[in-house]
Amino acid sequence: MIATCGSARRSLARAFADPDAGPVLLYVEGAAGLGKTHLLSELAGLPEAPDAARLWWRCGAGDGQQVADEPWGKPALLLVDDVHRADEDELRRLRRVLEGLEPGSAAAVAYRPEELPVPGLPLGGSAMAYPFRLTVLTHRLAPWDEERVRRAAADVLGESGGTAEAVGTLHERTGGVPRAVVDLLALLREQRPAFTGTAAEVAAAGVPTRLAELVLSRTYALSPAHRPLVWAAAVLDGPAARDELIAVSGLGAVPGSDALLRALESAALAEPGEGRYGFAVPLAAAAVRDTVPGPVRQDLHRRAAGVLSRRQPVAWTAVGEHHRAAGDDRRWLRAVEKAAESAAASGRHQEAIVLLERTLAAPGIPPQARARLAPLLARNAVTGLRSDQTVEVLAQIVQDGDLPPAVRGELRLDLGLMLSNQMGRFADGWRVLEIAAAELREVRSVLAARAMAALVTPYWPGASLDVHRGWLIKAVAAADDSGDEAMRTAVLANHVGLAMSWADPEAWDLVERLPVQSTDPACVRQAARGLCNAADSAVWLGFYRRVDGLLAEGRELATRSGAPYTEHSASGTRLLQEWWTGQWLGLARRCEEFIADTADMPFLASDAYVVRGLLAVAQGDWGEARSWLSQRGTFGTENLPVPLGATAAGAVIRLTLARQEVADAAEQARAAWTVVAEKGVWPWAAELAPWAVEALARAGDTTGAQAMVRDFAQGLGAADAPAARAALVWSRAVLAENEALAQGKPSGLLAAAEAYRKAAAAYAELPRPYSQALTTECAGRCVLAADAVGEAGGADGVDKSGGADGAGGAGEAGGAGEADRADGADGTQAAGGETDGAGAAEGAADGAGAHGSGASAAGGSAAPAGDRASTASAIAELESCAQHFTDLGAVWDATRARALLRTRQPAKKGRPPGRPSHSDQLSPREAEVAQLASSGLTNREIAATLHLSPRTVEQHIAGAMRKTGALSRRDLVHRL
């Protein structure tokens, strides 16, 4: 466990390099616990001296091996431990032995420098008469650094050994002294309940027995007159100057200086920094402190509070703890208040939150103190990051009837903000904020304006856009009446968010009015929030080229003014921007890292959860997709902000359609659409509309689908919302495709294809490459469907039931009778099977819904030249889509597009009839099926994606597993 560097071994090895090499004497110097004995044991195994005798000498123990004074006559390695414990007689004898070292011999002498009778002279007060040829070296052991402590923790506790904060605390408390590290890790390993890896557990673990005995033996070896100096160091619990130690000890200047010298001589204290004195192992302070009599300890704490109050800057948290330990609760609470104010002023909101939560949770806090501290906690919690305990504390305090109305109203305001913004409990937060606005209207008009401004925010489910506009009018009036510039800025920031949400033409002018040049930190924080609100709205509207500038300026202002909540929310906006603009490389990892960083505040990571789910959909990992889209159970998805909830709902509907669960998809679509319609912010329907329209159309509710498109168009009006406009065109194309399929009209399918192309062009302009590829795929599919309808002689060749292919339009999941013509599982041609790539479909002849083998490439009548050109163009579009999907990493989409292509691509020239043989390697189809199966898709889901029957899929998976040697479907991912 206690490893050392190899320099000591190399030094001793010189003595045994050749018979004529001079002897070597190596001093090993190290304070208690640094591993001297362990190093000597390592040196005893010196491989360069296999024939040398190993002679051990343990000083002061009386059991050392007898070492003759005369020459030993053969090579020898003398290992001397604990020289600091040797008496005069033993030292004289050891000196004679060392002075007589001959060639071919070496000695390692270990000692604690802090316990030597004569400092710096391990072998006594007189100089040694070293032989001429003797090489004398010193190896000084050092404490472990934090990385070495981390490795030791991983060895003992497993895996990472705890959080980075826990490892840092372990290193700090032990001073990196190996023996202390190992012993403390043993305590943590054996504790019950089991160690979970937190810094708090490390801090509360106690003092290892070996360390406690060492420091207490040194402390109580001092005379009673000198011990208060060590007690003072224990109470201060950190390096302190001489005058500070003396002041806390109460000894006076002369006795105190003498006591410090005695404490240093006995190694009870050390000098870890120049002019700073304390314990060599900081953890030892607790062992000493616990032995100090109670009344004496309280006096020491009282004097320590006074000493620390004179330091600059004042560590008010520590001052407060000393006042509390001294029994002075009034001064303790005042110090806590100053500590929290100081932390908040420097942007350390989380530090203030933790301190105030802990204080307010203590029993017996006087009402007056609660009235001062609780608003301070609330203000920090709203600005900083969420804490469940903060909500609990505030919810209890607002029930206190003794609180002044103004204080209770302020606490209720901040509680409502936390419930809404940081915990996603919108309904609860809305009710609390409405009460706060009423409570504060007469007593604190500025805070009443703040509550009203919060009710302007449109993201929460429930209230309509008109309700938010009504609160905006009230908030603007209240802010103007207050005369408070920071409050005016807060209302403006929320006005920006509201106006941007529904694409108000004046929204960008409002953004320009934000006081980004203000010197008031409160105004700057609100301006930062306004810019980040604008960036988030710009993402939903589709103004992606404007997002970067807004986010950069907003985050810079948030960092400068100490607004971590705003910084984190901006990070979520960035993830959404990267998803829609196709910056997918590493995006899954960035989402998961953000989720981990905000683990104690999952609502803040809701953007990351949804983006991670959208990636899983595109990658074909449908099981994981549903988990991510549902926020992995961290809170109810019904509480998601409306645009994010609509996006997640659209993805879930798409998955449900792909599984052929059309009725369920339609129900999901109606429920999600109701939420958006009730809100009345129609740009937020953009990520829901195409999938919702398709779900209703395929369920046979054409009237409902038409109503959705009509409401979407009317709701948008002339709003400048590029993403929603593209989605509206996409939704109309979906409706047109389904109606054309139902009527069997090739002209209708071609019109739908043209609408899809318009949507694709709109998405390309934004840019949104994934949406562009999806709509382009739909256009190609419609052209192929029109071609198939024409070849089949009109409506008779069309399956009017439709079916999801996942691309955002009416597709076909596989035709009746296709399973009877399934491919051979090993890739060889089955009786009646397809000719791969020659144009015959595997079941459903194409992705648009035509059954049978009516495609011209399969022997149908020749198409007109114009139709052939259109079909060729559609095939080229699909090939481009498949490549774009592949480049993005959209495995499911790429596989689906290639499956559709295979139904229409002509046979390759020079290829013989029938299938190629793939007796020892995966066929292209087996590879596609295996890829989707390894992602977790069921046979039915794979069949829906590739237009196959579940039986065919089962055969392909069996063939892939046999050829790769995979033991399970999941094992395929490692074999492909």
Side-chain angles (χ1 to χ4, degrees), residues 741 744-746 749 783-800 844-846 848-864 867 904:
L741 285 171
K745 292 183 177 179
L749 287 168
V783 172
L784 297 188
D787 181 42
V789 170
E791 292 168 354
D796 292 340
V798 181
D799 176 4
K800 299 179 177 60
D846 57 63
H851 285 308
S853 57
S856 62
S861 60
D867 291 345
R904 284 291 173 165

Side-chain angles (χ1 to χ4, degrees), residues 360 373-375 377-379 381-382 389-399 411-412 414-415 418:
L360 286 167
L373 297 179
L377 168 61
R379 287 193 293 271
V382 170
Q389 187 176 349
T390 299
V391 171
E392 294 173 7
V393 170
L394 294 182
Q396 292 174 0
I397 292 176
V398 295
Q399 304 302 320
L411 294 179
R412 205 183 300 276
D414 289 330
L415 176 60
M418 289 190 67

Side-chain angles (χ1 to χ4, degrees), residues 815-823 830-834 842-843 949 951-952 955:
E818 183 268 338
D820 295 332
R821 302 184 292 106
D823 302 342
E834 69 169 5
E842 297 175 83
S949 73
R951 176 185 164 191
T952 301
Q955 291 173 331

Side-chain angles (χ1 to χ4, degrees), residues 703-913:
T703 301
Q706 292 171 339
M708 279 185 178
V709 173
R710 183 178 61 252
D711 291 346
F712 191 14
Q714 291 176 351
L716 279 180
D720 188 11
R725 297 241 162 253
L728 177 59
V729 177
W730 185 353
S731 301
R732 285 170 170 159
V734 171
L735 196 58
E737 181 184 5
N738 277 273
E739 290 175 350
L741 285 171
Q743 299 167 9
K745 292 183 177 179
S747 60
L749 287 168
L750 293 176
E754 188 58 31
Y756 279 126
R757 289 192 179 104
K758 288 180 180 179
Y763 282 122
E765 182 66 23
L766 293 180
R768 273 178 58 166
Y770 184 53
S771 300
Q772 178 190 355
L774 286 174
T775 46
T776 301
E777 179 192 356
C778 292
R781 185 189 60 240
C782 284
V783 172
L784 297 188
D787 181 42
V789 170
E791 292 168 354
D796 292 340
V798 181
D799 176 4
K800 299 179 177 60
S801 65
D805 65 359
E812 174 57 43
E818 183 268 338
D820 295 332
R821 302 184 292 106
D823 302 342
D826 63 354
T828 60
Q829 184 175 2
E834 69 169 5
T835 300
D836 189 24
E842 297 175 83
D846 57 63
H851 285 308
S853 57
S856 62
S861 60
D867 291 345
R868 289 198 300 271
S870 177
T871 301
S873 175
I875 290 173
E877 286 178 327
L878 288 170
E879 289 174 338
S880 175
C881 286
Q883 187 58 52
H884 285 152
F885 287 139
T886 300
D887 293 342
L888 284 169
V891 176
W892 176 43
D893 301 287
T895 303
R896 183 188 61 249
R898 290 193 176 97
L900 180 57
L901 275 169
R902 208 171 355 263
T903 67
R904 284 291 173 165
Q905 287 175 320
K908 296 180 180 177
K909 291 183 179 180
R911 176 173 154 181

Side-chain angles (χ1 to χ4, degrees), residues 25 27 83 91 94-95 98 109 116 121-126 128 130:
L25 170 58
Y27 288 115
V83 170
L91 283 176
L94 177 58
R95 289 162 65 99
L98 296 176
V109 177
L116 291 176
L121 296 175
L123 298 178
S126 58
M128 275 279 292
Y130 295 115

